[in-house]
Amino acid sequence: MKREMKNLGICGILALSLLTGCSGGAQRVEAVDIDVPQIFGMKSEFVPAGGEAVIYGSSLTDAKVYFETQFYNDSVQAEVISSQDDKIVVRVPDKAWTGKIKVRNLAGVATSNFLFRDERNIIIDFDTHHQTWGGIVPFDQNGNLVQGQIENDSIVPYSGKLIEGCSGKFGLLHGTYPAKHPYIYINDLWFQYMHGADEGGRGAVSIAGLPFYEQKIEDLVLKFECNIPKEAAYKGIATEFIAGYKSAEPDKIGRTISPICRWEPYKNDKNYFIAGQNGGKDLSNGFYTDGWETITIPLTAFNYVYNQDQPKEDLKLDLTKAVNFSVLVFGKPETDANVMIAFDNFRIVPKSE
């Protein structure tokens, strides 16, 4: 790693060795190398004001963190809760807004290559942009979080406890996918956004939105926030993301004509990125998250077709045709697969700003 600068300690500041005190006489201090910080990512890119934000990178010990505000060229400093070389935890200021994050130490400043709370191209966030079919939104009519499904006027508890959302309401896939009935659609294990106005959609526009649909898919990613409790670790069945082309199929998913991304993180799937790289987790019993975490999937991972188990390397997603979006648990598990995955803020944004 390139050394950007050296700071020479005076009277004990940044000194590794100090032969004499500051009060008279000769003294010797040794130079200390300090690298310019780097930002690799955030545990979750959507954290409410007052919440704890975890930033991963390097040279973060004793660094300062700044969030942009709603005013041009203005930023606000965050309270540092803890810091070490590869991770810094801060409290998100009340004035924090959508924008880049800056980290500063004595050697220089690093700026994130992503936007904090990036809302430019939300497909589904379960608040303003709703799913048009399927899944569970685990809130009552007053917006209170419900820790179970309501059946026959009683609440059947979920298999794992839900925590508060990362930005308002969120959606939940919860249930058992049966081994004896493979390749079926289960309503509570399926989210869908449909473009049609009669379905509650926003019209026949690309799910990449006007800012990005003409960009190369190599430069774009699908991002979402995800929460899987450890006691309900995920394994045994794939989650499919489908950037759906217009379809005349009765279910309107477009699965037979659209490129598919299969997400199987319990298999050490390399087609996704998580900022903490699952450090310290024992995933032998399945994949789980530490609260809300941001998942990043390159759009080049949309390279499966509906009737083949292996990806097609030459298959590319055509964003000009992709006007629908579906998330479904689907496949042929060896044994019954128990699923509990909370999702929020599905969006397509640039890989790097």
Side-chain angles (χ1 to χ4, degrees):
M1 182 181 295
K2 181 180 178 182
R3 300 292 191 186
E4 299 293 341
M5 69 168 289
K6 290 185 177 181
N7 282 291
L8 183 62
I10 303 296
C11 294
I13 300 175
L14 294 178
L16 289 179
S17 174
L18 189 59
L19 297 187
T20 63
C22 291
S23 56
Q27 60 178 316
R28 189 187 79 194
V29 294
E30 296 181 3
V32 177
D33 286 333
I34 300 178
D35 293 316
V36 172
Q38 296 185 70
I39 299 174
F40 299 153
M42 293 185 72
K43 174 184 167 186
S44 173
E45 294 177 10
F46 277 78
V47 183
E52 293 186 7
V54 181
I55 301 168
Y56 296 97
S58 64
S59 299
L60 301 179
T61 302
D62 297 328
K64 296 179 180 180
V65 177
Y66 301 85
F67 290 80
E68 291 187 9
T69 74
Q70 61 180 311
F71 301 106
Y72 176 73
N73 205 28
D74 184 45
S75 62
V76 57
Q77 185 175 342
E79 171 196 350
V80 175
I81 298 172
S82 65
S83 69
Q84 54 196 65
D85 184 71
D86 61 351
K87 183 174 73 173
I88 188 167
V89 182
V90 300
R91 195 169 307 284
V92 177
D94 291 341
K95 295 181 180 180
W97 205 255
T98 296
K100 294 192 174 186
I101 293 172
K102 290 184 178 181
V103 176
R104 180 190 299 273
N105 67 10
L106 291 173
V109 180
T111 303
S112 65
N113 67 351
F114 58 87
L115 300 186
F116 177 66
R117 298 182 191 158
D118 191 351
E119 298 179 335
R120 290 173 299 174
N121 189 45
I122 296 286
I123 303 168
I124 307 173
D125 68 359
F126 306 97
D127 293 296
T128 304
H129 302 298
H130 300 279
Q131 85 281 17
T132 56
W133 190 258
I136 304 165
V137 180
F139 296 84
D140 64 19
Q141 61 183 2
N142 297 317
N144 299 311
L145 189 62
V146 179
Q147 294 289 344
Q149 291 175 260
I150 300 175
E151 297 180 7
N152 299 322
D153 296 324
S154 62
I155 295 180
V156 179
Y158 293 128
S159 54
K161 185 174 176 59
L162 293 169
I163 63 172
E164 292 295 327
C166 55
S167 60
K169 292 181 179 178
F170 55 87
L172 179 69
L173 299 184
H174 182 269
T176 300
Y177 196 98
K180 64 180 181 180
H181 296 300
Y183 305 115
I184 62 170
Y185 298 152
I186 299 175
N187 192 53
D188 289 346
L189 298 179
W190 167 22
F191 288 130
Q192 186 175 39
Y193 162 75
M194 292 296 299
H195 76 279
D198 57 336
E199 301 277 358
R202 301 186 289 276
V205 296
S206 171
I207 56 172
L210 292 177
F212 309 130
Y213 81 95
E214 291 183 323
Q215 290 192 20
K216 296 179 180 179
I217 62 167
E218 291 83 1
D219 298 331
L220 297 171
V221 295
L222 170 70
K223 284 189 176 185
F224 53 88
E225 276 61 56
C226 180
N227 180 12
I228 304 175
K230 186 176 182 179
E231 63 270 26
Y234 171 52
K235 62 181 178 180
I237 185 73
T239 296
E240 293 189 350
F241 301 104
I242 304 173
Y245 298 169
K246 283 186 182 181
S247 173
E249 295 174 345
D251 58 34
K252 299 183 181 179
I253 287 178
R255 187 173 181 274
T256 63
I257 62 173
S258 309
I260 297 169
C261 171
R262 291 182 183 169
W263 189 51
E264 300 173 286
Y266 53 88
K267 288 185 175 181
N268 197 24
D269 185 350
K270 299 299 184 183
N271 280 333
Y272 79 100
F273 171 78
I274 188 166
Q277 292 297 295
N278 297 319
K281 296 179 185 175
D282 178 7
L283 302 181
S284 58
N285 292 319
F287 177 80
Y288 64 93
T289 64
D290 179 18
W292 287 100
E293 299 191 23
T294 297
I295 307 293
T296 301
I297 298 177
L299 292 194
T300 52
F302 284 74
N303 60 351
Y304 283 82
V305 295
Y306 78 100
N307 59 355
Q308 296 183 18
D309 292 331
Q310 297 299 319
K312 298 183 68 174
E313 299 302 328
D314 59 344
L315 182 62
K316 285 194 174 185
L317 175 62
D318 186 345
L319 284 173
T320 64
K321 297 180 181 178
V323 295
N324 304 317
F325 181 74
S326 298
V327 182
L328 62 151
V329 175
F330 196 74
K332 186 180 181 180
E334 295 181 1
T335 60
D336 289 356
N338 297 312
V339 177
M340 184 176 185
I341 310 176
F343 288 110
D344 205 358
N345 304 316
F346 290 106
R347 58 198 183 274
I348 293 177
V349 293
K351 178 171 59 177
S352 179
E353 298 292 337

